Amino acid sequence: MTLASRPSSEPAEVPLGPEPSHEIEAPEYEVHASLAEPYELTEEDLSFFRRNGYVRLRNMLSPSVIATLSRRVDELLDAAHGSGNDGRFLALEQVWLTDPLVRGVTLSRRFGDVAARLLDVESVRLYHDNILSKESGCGRTPWHRDDHHYPLDSPAVCTSWLPLQRIPVAMGTLTCLSRTSVSDSLLRIPLSVENSSYDREVEDELRKDGVIPDSSPFEAGEVSFHAADCFHTAGPNRTGFPRRVLSSTYYANGANVIENPTVLSGAWQDFLPGVAPGSPAVSELNPLVGSAAYSSSAR
């Protein structure tokens, strides 16, 4: 990922943020049952995603399911990082391998089918999942596109972004730029992971063009899906509570690893073990997700 152009400036009074949820937690069997149910995408949802490169889907999960997932994520982060993490950005990868509840989300029919329909492909595979926690006082996330980091030869890649609480703007909401606002000059900005020049130049270009990205708050149960070519960022967390998210990336079944992965692809072989460049992007860590997985296991 690129570097942010400047640290966030703290306001005189830090907003408290959303009140902690007092929702009664759903039992785990109810969580899994809800994730096995399809989500009814509308033609408007599909059209919005094709046009803009992202879409927000309301009420994908119930408040009680969110409460159960939130508690589990809190436990996992506490076990990995302990307390006293103000100002930090915390992440856990490949959690689906060790935690059944997170696996239930990541490999669910509900999320996999949505990803496949948005990408207009028959089936998708998992690239990886993440728990992302922007702790109180953590600065902004720089502008970036995910396609710089996935060594796949298909553009049919998208990432789900599932907040585990209501996210007001002050908490660092996900901010997406519509494809319709991406200019040629924006695409020509040279990528840099060594300094903040890329982030700064993207901000300058958007300001010059008078473009206002979508930084609206998230309600509990609302989930965003953004394509790999979607420019996105997130503001600083200026509240007294951590902003916690479950995120998973899916790609079209049948994609190959590109012939020459670069340093921007990071430790891609951790997510595609044993897969050589130019080969099909399939390993034991890239299961089919959604209805295709159920159909495959039934044969």
Side-chain angles (χ1 to χ4, degrees):
M1 186 180 292
T2 57
L3 302 178
S5 63
R6 59 183 181 275
S8 61
S9 56
E10 292 299 322
E13 295 184 8
V14 179
L16 287 178
E19 289 295 320
S21 173
H22 299 295
E23 187 71 33
I24 296 175
E25 295 179 14
E28 291 192 20
Y29 73 84
E30 187 176 309
V31 174
H32 291 292
S34 69
L35 290 164
E37 293 294 322
Y39 180 85
E40 295 299 326
L41 281 171
T42 66
E43 286 302 318
E44 183 180 0
D45 294 330
L46 295 168
S47 176
F48 190 96
F49 182 84
R50 287 192 294 267
R51 183 173 64 254
N52 295 289
Y54 73 95
V55 68
R56 292 185 178 194
L57 305 175
R58 299 178 67 87
N59 302 315
M60 252 196 102
L61 296 175
S62 70
S64 59
V65 167
I66 291 290
T68 303
L69 295 174
S70 179
R71 176 185 53 78
R72 178 61 58 85
V73 165
D74 287 348
E75 292 169 351
L76 292 169
L77 285 167
D78 287 347
H81 296 285
S83 58
N85 292 301
D86 284 0
R88 296 181 60 194
F89 187 90
L90 308 178
L92 298 175
E93 292 180 332
Q94 300 292 70
V95 186
W96 71 275
L97 291 171
T98 56
D99 188 84
L101 195 59
V102 173
R103 180 163 59 249
V105 179
T106 301
L107 303 188
S108 68
R109 177 178 290 189
R110 196 170 185 83
F111 276 70
D113 285 358
V114 165
R117 289 200 63 198
L118 291 174
L119 295 173
D120 195 22
V121 298
E122 289 188 3
S123 57
V124 293
R125 291 185 178 274
L126 175 69
Y127 187 77
H128 63 44
D129 70 352
N130 292 279
I131 291 174
L132 307 173
S133 181
K134 181 167 278 193
E135 300 290 299
S136 177
C138 182
R140 59 177 290 271
T141 304
W143 281 104
H144 63 286
R145 296 186 317 184
D146 294 338
D147 58 5
H148 290 136
H149 306 290
Y150 300 134
L152 301 169
D153 67 358
S154 171
V157 183
C158 71
T159 297
S160 63
W161 203 81
L162 161 59
L164 298 175
Q165 68 283 306
R166 184 173 63 83
I167 300 183
V169 172
M171 191 175 251
T173 187
L174 178 67
T175 299
C176 291
L177 178 66
S178 170
R179 284 172 173 160
T180 62
S181 298
V182 177
S183 63
D184 290 340
S185 55
L186 192 64
L187 293 173
R188 287 196 296 268
I189 296 174
L191 188 65
S192 172
V193 295
E194 298 176 349
N195 56 54
S196 62
S197 61
Y198 183 80
D199 182 60
R200 183 176 61 254
E201 290 187 49
V202 170
E203 283 198 314
D204 290 345
E205 188 67 29
L206 297 180
R207 191 178 303 109
K208 182 187 73 175
D209 293 341
V211 173
I212 301 176
D214 182 358
S215 60
S216 49
F218 277 74
E219 294 301 319
E222 187 174 14
V223 180
S224 173
F225 284 76
H226 59 270
D229 68 338
C230 175
F231 281 87
H232 57 285
T233 181
N237 183 356
R238 299 184 288 104
T239 75
F241 299 98
R243 187 217 70 185
R244 292 183 167 167
V245 171
L246 273 175
S247 179
S248 301
T249 295
Y250 305 101
Y251 62 92
N253 182 30
N256 293 332
V257 174
I258 59 177
E259 292 286 351
N260 296 296
T262 69
V263 67
L264 290 176
S265 299
W268 65 271
Q269 289 175 314
D270 289 351
F271 311 117
L272 293 157
V275 178
S279 300
V282 180
S283 79
E284 68 272 14
L285 298 188
N286 312 110
L288 288 169
V289 183
S291 295
Y294 287 75
S295 299
S296 176
S297 63
R299 288 198 295 268

